[in-house]
Amino acid sequence: MTTDEWPQSVAAARAQQIKWAGKLKLQSFPVSLLRATTRVVGVDVGVDSATQQLRAAAVLVDPINAELRDMAVATATAQFPYVPGYLSYREVPVILAALAKLAVTPDILFCDGQGIAHPRQFGIACHLGLLQNCPSIGIAKSLLFGTAKSPAAKFGAHSVIEVQGNAVGMALRSREQVKPIYLSPGHKINLLDALQWTLHFCRGFKLPEPTRLADQIASRRHKKWQTVD
DNA sequence: GCGACAG
DNA sequence: ATCTTGTCGC
């Protein structure tokens, strides 16, 4: 797979998605396996308002208290347009660059976007999980594919994201009084375990800490703490 | 054919 | 994704 060239068209990307979706392993990865040494990483991408360059942030969070432990940032010019259903072909390159700068390899990756709750069951979380060969979970703020009832108002309430009768993800009330988030497994994890891992990192905000912190850093509005350049 | 459409 | 401050409420 490392010898494949990066798709340069939506048609090529589509063919790769269909092919690679077949490589995904949705297996058990219970949150009970979490240790004080488990490397939990969150990634997200933002756009530099001035240069239009993509900026990816990879953050390492404490597995127990979910606090920020380390971070890495990378920037790059987008080489693929944003096309619904093909987001990973635009964001994955710069995310991989940020991950490469991080001192550790992730044991589990939280990504901003869909996992298998995708038209071809190959959202950005699947793409990253395969390339990093590690469990991954997709955390999206809106639904791209499938249907789901609105979950109950209470924290932790969830409803299945369904596609032709199959449960591919979950709409989760990660915070009361706020619109739900849509999570789905990417690779090497199943739906129920993905839900448990996500709940473990929801600490009072809509987004679970890994993606919330990555989002904050990738979007520069937190730059007052690193603008000592 | 007409909308919908992660970030 | 991004344009954007203060303000109301749990």
Side-chain angles (χ1 to χ4, degrees):
Chain A
M1 99 173 37
T2 51
T3 54
D4 289 74
E5 51 188 76
W6 197 257
Q8 293 301 304
S9 70
V10 169
R14 180 191 175 80
Q16 187 181 71
Q17 291 182 320
I18 294 172
K19 177 182 177 183
W20 286 12
K23 300 170 178 284
L24 299 174
K25 303 301 178 190
L26 301 182
Q27 58 200 33
S28 169
F29 186 54
V31 72
S32 60
L33 291 180
L34 186 158
R35 300 285 180 277
T37 54
T38 303
R39 282 121 28 174
V40 179
V41 175
V43 295
D44 189 27
V45 174
V47 182
D48 187 290
S49 54
T51 69
Q52 283 305 299
Q53 285 216 302
L54 299 184
R55 174 172 47 234
V59 303
L60 176 68
V61 305
D62 186 286
I64 307 303
N65 63 197
E67 291 178 355
L68 182 63
R69 282 282 113 84
D70 193 15
M71 66 164 87
V73 173
T75 59
T77 299
Q79 297 298 305
F80 202 94
Y82 167 64
V83 181
Y86 301 87
L87 172 68
S88 68
Y89 291 91
R90 177 182 177 76
E91 303 191 339
V92 164
V94 67
I95 289 176
L96 291 178
L99 284 171
K101 290 184 176 180
L102 209 54
V104 303
T105 289
D107 287 320
I108 182 165
L109 199 52
F110 280 79
C111 318
D112 194 41
Q114 317 292 340
I116 62 171
H118 176 281
R120 287 162 295 285
Q121 302 151 53
F122 201 71
I124 191 169
C126 302
H127 203 152
L128 286 170
L130 265 187
L131 295 178
Q132 294 286 98
N133 188 37
C134 76
S136 62
I137 300 173
I139 305 292
K141 294 178 287 297
S142 62
L143 197 55
L144 168 70
F145 192 65
T147 59
K149 299 181 304 179
S150 178
K154 203 170 187 59
F155 171 80
H158 49 276
S159 56
V160 169
I161 295 177
E162 210 170 291
V163 172
Q164 295 177 44
N166 295 309
V168 299
M170 213 72 95
L172 169 67
R173 191 72 65 185
S174 53
R175 179 175 180 176
E176 302 188 0
Q177 231 65 51
V178 175
K179 305 260 61 176
I181 58 174
Y182 300 86
L183 69 97
S184 56
H187 184 46
K188 291 190 165 184
I189 192 168
N190 61 41
L191 179 55
L192 295 184
D193 288 337
L195 171 63
Q196 299 309 314
W197 277 91
T198 301
L199 282 170
H200 176 80
F201 288 102
C202 282
R203 302 298 174 90
F205 298 94
K206 172 175 180 171
L207 297 176
E209 293 304 283
T211 49
R212 187 182 74 83
L213 294 170
D215 177 86
Q216 203 171 84
I217 295 166
S219 298
R220 132 250 93 166
R221 42 197 151 79
H222 171 279
K223 189 166 185 176
K224 304 167 185 174
W225 272 262
Q226 56 181 310
T227 305
V228 188
D229 19 279

